[in-house]
Amino acid sequence: MRPQTILSSSFLTSALALCLAAPAYAQSNDPIKIGIIAEVQSIAGAATPGGAQIAADEINAKGGILGRKVEIVTYDNKSSSADSVRAFQRAVSEDKVSAVIASYISEVVLALEPWAARLKMPLITPGAASNEITKAIHNDYEKNKYTFHGYLTSAAQAQIVCDAAKDLLVDKMHMKTVAIMSEDAAWTKPLDIGYEACLPKAGLKVVEHVRFSPDTTDFTPIFNNMEAKKPDVIVTGISHVGVQPTVQWKNQQVPIPMFGISAQALSPTFWKDTNGAADGVPSLAVATPDVAVTSKTKPFAAAFAAKFGMPPAYTGYTAYDEVYIITDAIKRAGSTDPDKMVAEMEKTNFEGTIGQIQFYGKDDEFTHGIKSGPGTVTGLVFQWQDSKQVVVWPEKIAEGKLKFPNFVKLSQ
Amino acid sequence: MDQRLTNRPVLEVRGLTKRFGGLTAVKNLGFEVNSGEIFGLIGPNGSGKSTAMKSVMGIERPTAGEVIFEGENVAGLPAHKIARKGFGMVFQHSRPLNRQTVLENIMVALLPDSLFMLFPDKALLERAKWIADRVGLGSVMNRRPPTLPFADLRRLELAKAIARDPKVVLVDEPFAGLTRAEVDVFSDLIRSFRDDGRAVMLVDHNVKSVAALVDRVLAMYLGEEIVTGKAEDVMKNETVRRVYLGGAIETHARPENSFKDKVPLLQVENVSVHYGKAQALENVSIHIHEGEFVSIVGLNGAGKTTLFNTISGFLPYSGEISRGGEKLRGTSPAKIARSGIVQCPESRELFGEMSVRENLDLGGQHLTDDKRAAQLAWLFELFPILKERQGQMAQTLSGGEQQMLAIGRALMMQPQILILDEPTLGLAPVILELLSKALTRLRQTTSITVLLGEQNVTFALPHADRVYVLEHARIVWEGDPGRFAAEAGADFL
Amino acid sequence: MASFFTTRLFFISLALVVIASTLPLYVSGYVLGLLTVAFYFGVFAMAWDLLFGFAGEVNFGPTFLIGVGAYTAGILNAQFGWSVYLCIVLGALASVVAGLVLALPALRVRGPYFGLTTLVAVLMLQNFIVVFADLTGGEIGLTIPDVISIDAGVNYWIALGFMTISAAILYGLSQSPVGLVLQASGQDPVQAGALGFNIVKHKLAAFIVSAFFSGLSGALLVFYFGTASVGTVVDVAVGVNVIVSAVLGGRRTVLGAALGAIFLIVAGEFLRPTGELATFIVSAVALLVVLFFPGGFLGAALSREARS
């Protein structure tokens, strides 16, 4: 219990933040704490502290960092921005964490970003996608440099989907037309802009573009409408919904294949959740348990499955990598001073479970976003085939070929 | 102002008409009330008297006509403007502010209609105290309403109505729910308003209850004036007598000793019921023999519905109710209904969106298919109109047809004792006749026991073997219907 | 009314405020942060009780007023960079204007329709925010450049002070002659009209006061969080919390509403380890209180006093 200094003048803000943060790196025997703010009630959210814990355990088993143990402190944000802000404040002022890994929801990360700036607390997201996160860093680097975007931005995701579509759909299956189907949410706005721009470049003409409410329960009219437009493929941007359109796609025997992003399909339970309707559903991902994206992917997935009884969701991989990114930065900086940590995190060149991780710099468009493309994070496309996630792209790590269920009528 | 104007009545109502949709509740009503006069507006249920009063006060907006107060037509103004001109109204049901004292409640009535009155005014407080003394609340003015007896709550309503010294005071059913002794006290209070030079207008069901108080009475029926004059003259008026008592009454009473059961089928002994502070039944004792047709006659609010609900097991009571010698206390309403005491409530309680047939089938759902068909056939004989309307939704029936359906549904339950609560409420005379015929048939063709509650004496007497009169929660008369008009009829004028 | 200063309620309130103001000296920043939010919610609930408890109108959309205040303040700050305090005042005023625009027609409809109108207003605001995402930040939420303070203690004291002053004003108003007229209008509009009170005028005034405090509190909350999002200040679920707080604390007590809000938020936080169960437990407690003590915490206490 520490009596607090009462300072209200705003020009003392920065000094005050330093005061608040000071004890965190002054006491060298205490563990280094990393705060996890996550939607622990969802599978994807629960994987975040899980992945981070495995990384912390590994580091501690090797003696920790700078002679200190790494401790993971988890906060449930109930998917709420307000709860997240409170949790962030608590993590900083109460639990004295050295960095925060927070949330796969863009809204939440955007609410925390200014707090990371105000409290000078390194913040990294394991799963949010919105371009706005990196845009804010780019626009006001000095202020927002404490935030890192540890997952693919929507723009990057769109680009990877287009690359995969070109290889698999255009070159191999000779598809020519596409319908875009996205849920109406923050992260899909830049995604759709990306799709609109890169799909035609990949050789697919956009004949229909549907944005639907995340509350939609009946997709019949949407599918009917699509069928009428006769696209060769539907490219999706869905995350909040996923089971429902998949089940209806199967039940209604929609003759058009799906491609793109279906974030719920990343969940290891998706096959069960859809009662097998997932068969033939592909999605973009950063890693799957059985494919060695890097040498670290499979051992991590195995460790996670051993500890939690199921393979990790995507935020598990990223959170695991991010704990290493943070601790490595602390090691290099020799302290938990936030500015030094940020400087070191920017220099990250780390082989994680999802690829070689580097961050874009101050002058790049997506400042502090992870670099994507050959040599960095390439992403992959897997497809649910007979209750398994089978990687079908890129060829280098592919386990099988893209194949759609019988009711799908391929135009060629 | 010149002499002519000061001699004018303070309130003149001319051609007052109020329509609700297709229903004309008040038709071309005209009267005047002078300062220092008590004027009564009298009529049976549904005659439009309350609507007339509300139209004067501006609570209802009159469809046509003039309400002239001191030479100014105020018809159509909202209530708060009319009130500020010099009107006060005493409501029958009071909802005082329970967390404030009596004095503060009176204070509220004295406040200006301003949004910026943030601190109470000493002068108003003195005035409120004076008013509290005036209506007899002096000793309880620092208590809060929940701790007061019913009569004091009514006094509080009087106090609020006269707080701003209105020139016209409107009183809705001044004596409802009061005991005899309290009625006298309130009569004195209302007289004192007259003596202050106010014009007082009362609304009540019957002439008798206010006869001693009023200077003049206007009797109305179906929205229209029948006659205006002194109370005794109005009571002598033939039309008034017909409206309240009907014409020459034919009775078909069977003497009580013709019923064979030694212990009456249903006995109600010394039953009392309270609603909060108001006594709804006071030591009521009645009995009914098997096969007997008993009418309970009483004005609105006398306690008929309460008595029936008590018999049906819905209300807690003191005293005893027994059926065939067995005490009913502790038996659930559902069990009482299943055992054959079936109430057909005043509000009818039909399933409006179900067909006539479905409503009837619901009543007969405990019967086997054969029995149900037989009962239905018998019922359609009794009420042929229901047969024609079988497929129609209940809510599309006319009021009279709905009443027949309600009785029909009750009969489908094959009751041993059928309780009919105010079946004539709101029905046109032609329909009354139809209903009356059906009751006659019912009485002639079955051995059913009927307990009928009515304020319409003309309807209640012809069928009855025996009559009870319920007044202010008590049974005040019991006897043969033939003797009713002579012995108890005057109370129903 | 003046006698209030000698009542037990006054001394208890005073004691509570004095104790509360010393909390930053010995409790953690986390608890302070929790109470800061609870205090702003307390003002929401008190403003709501003025409408429900006194004017007798159920406003199903407290978050309409809160949201307009919060977003106006937030947008002005984010778009034009105006000072925090100016934005807060303008937010409160915007809420008053929005309240007026809503209440003028809504108070003319009777019965449950007022409540429905207010509910629809929330949904409209929510859609407006989503549709005009460029201005409002849409469903991502609006990131606000400035905050009042980043110090937990300072934020706490501001919230406590604001709630205390709001409580004093709202309670004083409710006990003043105007408050009595309002209460009479709410309890029996026909009779209040017949006593010479323009009930629409009084209810409208109550709505404006309620809007002012809701908007002010919403704006302050935004500059505490540094973010405005639908989920924080507009969502129907937030409104339900406000309503439950007020009912829990005690209808027609004003002060009880603040207690209810503090209880609801603090209890929700203490039960956080139980996960989803927390919401269930808090709801169950609220339901039990409403069923068995319909007067709420303070209502039960006050009516016992009234009877004695």
Side-chain angles (χ1 to χ4, degrees), chain A residues 70-137:
Chain A
V70 175
E71 187 184 326
I72 302 296
V73 189
T74 305
Y75 309 86
D76 176 8
N77 69 2
K78 298 180 178 167
S79 305
S80 137
S81 303
D83 281 14
S84 301
V85 168
R86 281 225 305 272
F88 192 83
Q89 292 172 337
R90 181 184 179 186
V92 176
S93 63
E94 183 72 8
D95 297 332
K96 317 250 179 288
V97 301
S98 302
V100 173
I101 297 173
S103 185
Y104 60 75
I105 302 174
S106 298
E107 287 84 337
V108 168
V109 177
L110 283 160
L112 294 180
E113 195 170 3
W115 281 102
R118 286 178 198 123
L119 301 178
K120 299 199 186 303
M121 172 56 52
L123 164 73
I124 183 163
T125 171
S130 173
N131 291 359
E132 300 292 321
I133 299 167
T134 49
K135 198 167 150 193
I137 307 167

Side-chain angles (χ1 to χ4, degrees), chain A residues 124-125 134 137 147-153 156 160 286 294 296 318 321-322 324-326 328 332 342-362 364-379:
Chain A
I124 183 163
T125 171
T134 49
I137 307 167
T147 301
F148 286 79
H149 192 160
Y151 188 65
L152 298 168
T153 58
I160 296 170
V286 284
T294 70
K296 289 181 181 160
T318 47
D321 291 349
E322 284 164 8
Y324 275 104
I325 293 168
I326 291 164
D328 285 357
R332 292 197 300 272
V342 167
E344 289 304 328
M345 281 172 78
E346 286 176 341
K347 292 179 201 147
T348 296
N349 186 2
F350 169 74
E351 187 192 55
T353 56
I354 62 169
Q356 191 68 26
I357 297 170
Q358 295 167 12
F359 291 105
Y360 288 112
K362 188 175 169 182
D364 295 316
E365 187 185 354
F366 299 105
T367 310
H368 286 189
I370 50 170
K371 288 186 182 167
S372 60
T376 53
V377 176
T378 52

Side-chain angles (χ1 to χ4, degrees), chain B residues 109-291:
Chain B
L110 289 166
L111 293 172
D113 188 20
S114 152
L115 294 174
F116 303 100
M117 181 86 174
L118 295 175
F119 299 99
D121 187 332
K122 259 279 186 272
L124 293 186
L125 198 68
E126 290 309 311
R127 166 95 183 137
K129 278 185 188 153
W130 182 83
I131 294 166
D133 278 330
R134 175 75 208 282
V135 298
L137 290 171
S139 58
V140 295
M141 63 189 167
N142 290 319
R143 279 165 61 181
R144 289 185 171 84
T147 67
L148 293 187
F150 183 70
D152 280 351
L153 293 176
R154 297 298 314 268
R155 284 179 205 272
L156 180 54
E157 293 307 304
L158 289 183
K160 278 150 71 179
I162 61 156
R164 272 179 305 96
D165 202 11
K167 295 206 167 107
V168 178
V169 181
L170 310 176
V171 191
D172 189 10
E173 295 197 32
F175 306 130
L178 294 180
T179 64
R180 280 276 147 117
E182 288 163 350
V183 165
D184 293 340
V185 176
F186 276 75
S187 295
D188 286 343
L189 274 171
I190 292 171
R191 274 192 206 99
S192 75
F193 297 167
R194 170 178 63 189
D195 300 341
D196 292 344
R198 298 179 218 281
V200 180
M201 180 172 140
L202 307 177
V203 159
D204 214 320
H205 291 284
N206 56 349
V207 194
K208 174 78 188 312
S209 57
V210 294
L213 190 55
V214 294
D215 297 307
R216 281 185 309 129
V217 171
L218 184 155
M220 61 190 291
Y221 184 58
L222 296 178
E224 285 181 287
E225 174 183 349
I226 305 172
V227 65
T228 305
K230 288 198 179 310
E232 55 266 37
D233 298 334
V234 168
M235 283 162 90
K236 281 183 203 137
N237 180 285
E238 262 319 302
T239 320
V240 172
R241 289 189 79 85
R242 203 168 56 246
V243 164
Y244 280 93
L245 298 176
I249 293 172
E250 250 182 80
T251 65
H252 304 276
R254 293 165 286 189
E256 195 179 351
N257 56 24
S258 72
F259 298 100
K260 301 210 169 50
D261 52 350
K262 287 206 186 76
V263 181
L265 182 62
L266 185 73
Q267 280 174 295
V268 174
E269 286 167 290
N270 293 323
V271 163
S272 296
V273 171
H274 287 86
Y275 291 135
K277 299 197 169 70
Q279 182 150 33
L281 288 181
E282 191 181 342
N283 284 328
V284 167
S285 297
I286 62 166
H287 62 271
I288 307 154
H289 294 282
E290 189 162 2

